[in-house]
């Protein structure tokens, strides 16, 4: 492992071997919290190892011990919890927990797992070790990208700032909505890595991507809307304003000289589209119906920000091809497609595997959502002050500052205004601020968590 180690090799193996799936009812419990902390440690260590490029033992351990399917099942389980149980908790009028951080950890669990999968799926072995659960993961990615397209049609992702009148549970809901946007972007990267392995995917997985979900057409929608980019400033019809792109959990203004540079997320879409349209295995399975051809070659329209090119292939400019030369093959494919006759939908009778995790979890818990929420409200999300202090101590041990700074994608930003920050909260050492005024304004939201974290540090 790298010079900065969060886990020793022996410790990492123990944590990986101990990974298991939890029932929805047990999410947020003591055992679940321990596994969440272990996953966070594995996640941070995997990022550290990838950064220093000295081998990636976390990925190797997950593959060796067959734990990638466990991660996929946990990912889908927490996704279901957020859709079915979390809204029930938010509707309970007299539920006013003194601290919402225990619930936040469950909400954040999905982001932790998808981030770990994004890191390890860079390697083909991790994708192959997912075995049959890759079907479930493809369905998961499709759900996230569909929501991303739908969200871009409704004005883009929610902003992070809350209202002065909102209660802690409402604030948590807003944080969860913002987190969904970031999770969807991670799912895009995971899907790209899955398509990198298209030559070794099962026929059922290929059919799921190309026939059931028609992912090439969905990717065209993502290129059209580009939800990770936006224009800020004056009205679009008077001036283009400032181009902003979402990266590293924040919106960044792109300098005019950098605006022709391909963003990482746009690149992921183009590579995924290339894999699904040009690989021999995918071409043998993809039925180019009149609808598919129309979507791939459709005339695009005004998005409300700027005029888009008339056809998908008009995106493939010389500037783009200089940055991704392999897209020249896609350019040729699209040119040939204009002259190609469409195919009728195939009606072959084929026996295929189907994803089973979501359906199984829904079947096991159908009609129990209220009971699960009630149980967790009484026994999990209403901890005593002493329990919160103990948990704060464990959080402080997990989120070591030196490791967090090493894995951070950029310099710290102010927790209140998002400007570049140079000052840290002196009490808990967790939050950053650009000035004293922002720290004072943010104290109402940060205060309780800050006090608990500081008490946890002193308890050491």
């Amino acid at each position: 492992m790298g010079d900065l180690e969060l886990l020793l090799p022996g410790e990492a193996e123990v944590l990986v071997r101990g990974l298991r799936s939890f029932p929805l009812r047990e999410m947020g419990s003591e055992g679940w919290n321990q596994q969440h902390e272990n996953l966070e440690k594995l996640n941070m260590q995997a990022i550290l190892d990838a950064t220093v490029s000295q081998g990636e033992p976390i990925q190797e351990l997950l593959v060796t011990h067959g734990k990638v399917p466990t991660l996929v099942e946990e990912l889908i389980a927490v996704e279901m919890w957020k859709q079915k149980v979390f809204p029930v908790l938010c509707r309970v009028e007299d539920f006013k927990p003194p601290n919402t951080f225990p619930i936040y950890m469950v909400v954040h669990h999905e982001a932790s797992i998808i981030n770990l999968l994004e890191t390890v799926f860079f390697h083909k072995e991790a994708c192959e070790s997912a075995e049959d659960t890759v079907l479930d993961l493809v369905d998961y990615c499709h759900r996230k990208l569909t929501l991303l397209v739908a969200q871009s049609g409704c004005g883009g992702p929610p902003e992070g700032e809350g209202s002065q009148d909102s209660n802690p549970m409402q604030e948590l809901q807003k944080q969860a909505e913002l987190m969904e946007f970031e999770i969807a972007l991670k799912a895009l990267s995971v899907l790209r890595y899955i398509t990198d392995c298209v030559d070794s995917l099962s026929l059922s997985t290929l059919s799921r991507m190309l026939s059931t979900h028609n992912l090439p057409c969905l990717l065209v929608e993502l290129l059209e809307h580009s939800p990770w980019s936006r224009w800020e400033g004056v009205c679009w019809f008077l001036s283009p304003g400032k181009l902003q792109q979402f990266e590293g959990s924040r919106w960044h203004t792109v300098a005019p000289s950098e605006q022709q540079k391909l963003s990482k997320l746009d690149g992921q879409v183009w590579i995924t589209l290339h894999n699904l349209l040009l690989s021999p295995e995918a071409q043998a399975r993809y039925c180019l119906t009149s609808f598919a051809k129309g979507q791939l070659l459709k005339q695009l329209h005004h998005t409300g920000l700027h005029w888009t090119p008339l056809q998908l292939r008009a995106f493939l400019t010389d500037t783009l091809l200089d940055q991704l030369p392999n897209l020249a093959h896609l350019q040729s494919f699209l040119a040939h497609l204009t002259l190609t006759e469409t195919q009728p939908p195939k009606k072959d009778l084929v026996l295929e595997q189907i994803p089973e995790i979501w359906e199984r979890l829904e079947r096991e818990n159908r009609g129990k959502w209220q009971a699960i929420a009630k149980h967790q409200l009484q026994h999990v999300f209403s901890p005593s002050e002493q329990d919160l202090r103990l948990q704060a101590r464990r959080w402080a041990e997990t989120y070591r500052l030196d490791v967090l700074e090493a894995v951070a994608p950029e310099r710290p930003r102010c927790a209140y205004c998002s400007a570049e920050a140079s000052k840290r909260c002196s009490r808990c050492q967790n939050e950053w601020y650009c000035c004293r005024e922002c720290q004072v304004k943010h104290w109402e939201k940060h205060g309780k968590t800050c006090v608990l974290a500081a008490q946890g540090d002193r308890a050491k």
Side-chain angles (χ1 to χ4, degrees):
M1 295 188 181
D3 294 334
L4 179 60
E5 289 187 343
L6 179 65
L7 297 170
L8 296 173
E11 293 176 307
E13 182 169 11
V14 170
L15 297 189
V16 169
R17 293 183 66 174
L19 293 177
R20 66 182 182 92
S21 301
F22 281 81
L24 269 64
R25 181 184 175 89
E26 293 184 25
M27 289 189 175
S29 64
E30 184 176 353
W32 184 94
N33 268 315
Q34 183 61 62
Q35 175 156 297
H36 174 76
E37 293 164 17
N38 294 343
L39 274 171
E40 287 284 33
K41 292 176 182 178
L42 292 170
N43 193 10
M44 289 187 282
Q45 186 64 59
I47 294 173
L48 288 173
D49 293 336
T51 302
V52 298
S53 301
Q54 294 181 354
E56 299 192 27
I58 302 300
Q59 174 260 327
E60 294 169 5
L61 288 170
L62 289 169
V63 172
T64 300
H65 296 288
K67 293 299 182 178
V68 173
T70 304
L71 291 179
V72 175
E73 181 161 351
E74 275 290 278
L75 178 71
I76 295 172
V78 74
E79 179 196 19
M80 179 170 288
W81 182 91
K82 287 169 65 177
Q83 287 190 24
K84 305 290 188 179
V85 181
F86 182 53
V88 177
L89 290 172
C90 294
R91 288 195 297 267
V92 178
E93 293 183 1
D94 58 347
F95 178 48
K96 298 178 181 179
N99 193 294
T100 58
F101 209 70
I103 309 175
Y104 175 84
M105 297 307 285
V106 183
V107 174
H108 185 261
H109 192 59
E110 183 181 5
S112 300
I113 299 175
I114 194 66
N115 195 72
L116 179 56
L117 289 175
E118 181 194 27
T119 303
V120 302
F121 265 52
F122 179 79
H123 300 274
K124 187 175 182 179
E125 297 81 4
C127 180
E128 292 175 344
S129 72
E131 298 176 343
D132 293 344
T133 62
V134 75
L135 278 166
D136 299 272
L137 192 54
V138 165
D139 267 27
Y140 172 88
C141 292
H142 175 259
R143 289 193 293 272
K144 295 301 178 183
L145 298 188
T146 301
L147 287 172
L148 193 59
V149 170
Q151 191 178 64
S152 64
C154 299
E159 297 293 341
E161 294 187 12
S163 168
Q164 295 287 341
D165 300 327
S166 58
N167 60 45
M169 289 302 293
Q170 290 171 334
E171 286 291 327
L172 188 58
Q173 283 180 285
K174 292 174 184 176
Q175 291 175 341
E177 289 174 12
L178 183 60
M179 204 180 299
E180 275 298 311
F181 179 70
E182 299 184 45
I183 288 170
L185 301 183
K186 296 289 184 183
L188 172 60
S189 296
V190 170
L191 180 64
R192 174 263 161 112
Y193 293 137
I194 292 174
T195 63
D196 282 347
C197 307
V198 70
D199 58 334
S200 60
L201 294 176
S202 67
L203 291 178
S204 296
T205 304
L206 283 174
S207 178
R208 197 80 183 169
M209 291 193 295
L210 298 170
S211 300
T212 306
H213 297 315
N214 203 343
L215 287 180
C217 291
L218 180 59
L219 293 168
V220 171
E221 291 289 323
L222 280 175
L223 284 174
E224 178 183 356
H225 294 288
S226 190
W228 44 83
S229 300
R230 69 184 185 186
W231 290 88
E232 286 287 307
V234 295
C235 297
W236 61 267
F237 52 82
L238 296 177
S239 170
K242 296 180 180 179
L243 175 63
Q244 293 189 327
Q245 292 179 343
F246 193 89
E247 188 174 350
S249 301
R250 299 187 185 278
W251 289 99
H252 302 271
T253 299
V254 181
S257 60
E258 296 288 315
Q259 289 182 8
Q260 294 299 314
K261 185 177 179 181
L262 184 69
S263 72
K264 177 183 176 182
L265 291 163
D266 281 309
Q268 297 284 41
V269 179
W270 280 114
I271 293 171
T272 308
L273 198 57
H274 178 278
N275 291 341
L276 290 177
L277 291 177
L278 296 186
S279 67
E281 294 80 9
Q283 285 188 334
R285 299 289 299 174
Y286 191 39
C287 183
L288 277 168
T289 62
S290 57
F291 172 78
K293 180 179 177 180
Q295 288 294 104
L296 294 174
L297 298 177
K298 71 175 180 178
Q299 292 192 344
L300 304 181
H301 58 274
H302 197 281
T303 64
L305 299 177
H306 55 284
W307 289 101
T308 56
L310 291 178
Q311 289 188 349
L312 175 62
R313 56 179 174 161
F315 278 109
L316 295 163
T317 61
D318 291 340
T319 304
L320 176 59
L321 294 176
D322 286 342
Q323 297 174 73
L324 278 178
N326 282 351
L327 294 184
H329 302 297
L330 181 58
Q331 188 180 47
S332 300
F333 170 82
L334 293 173
H336 178 71
L337 185 59
T338 60
L339 307 174
T340 303
E341 292 292 329
T342 59
Q343 305 167 7
K346 294 181 180 178
K347 298 181 180 180
D348 299 337
L349 179 62
V350 181
L351 294 177
E352 295 179 347
Q353 290 176 293
I354 60 172
E356 62 87 27
I357 296 176
W358 178 277
E359 184 178 344
R360 172 170 53 79
L361 290 173
E362 193 168 41
R363 185 174 61 250
E364 291 172 352
N365 296 282
R366 188 176 292 120
K368 302 177 183 177
W369 313 119
Q370 298 276 352
I372 293 172
K374 183 178 180 180
H375 168 79
Q376 293 180 330
L377 186 151
Q378 294 176 346
H379 302 287
V380 178
F381 298 134
S382 299
S384 65
E385 194 70 23
Q386 182 180 2
D387 290 336
L388 281 173
R389 288 197 187 97
L390 291 173
Q391 189 64 60
R393 178 180 178 180
R394 289 167 61 178
W395 291 332
E397 291 172 350
T398 300
Y399 301 107
R400 279 172 37 192
L401 293 178
D402 56 341
V403 177
L404 289 175
E405 290 173 359
V407 302
E410 57 171 12
R411 297 195 61 171
R413 297 273 173 175
C414 177
Y416 183 77
C417 71
S418 298
E420 192 170 295
S422 59
K423 299 175 176 61
R424 183 183 275 165
C425 175
S426 60
R427 185 192 293 261
C428 70
Q429 298 288 306
N430 290 335
E431 292 284 21
W432 289 83
Y433 299 97
C434 62
C435 61
R436 175 68 178 171
E437 182 181 359
C438 284
Q439 184 177 8
V440 172
K441 291 179 178 178
H442 191 249
W443 178 252
E444 184 177 353
K445 180 184 293 186
H446 173 57
K448 291 182 180 179
T449 305
C450 176
V451 172
L452 283 170
Q455 288 173 343
D457 266 347
R458 287 197 297 270
K460 293 181 184 181

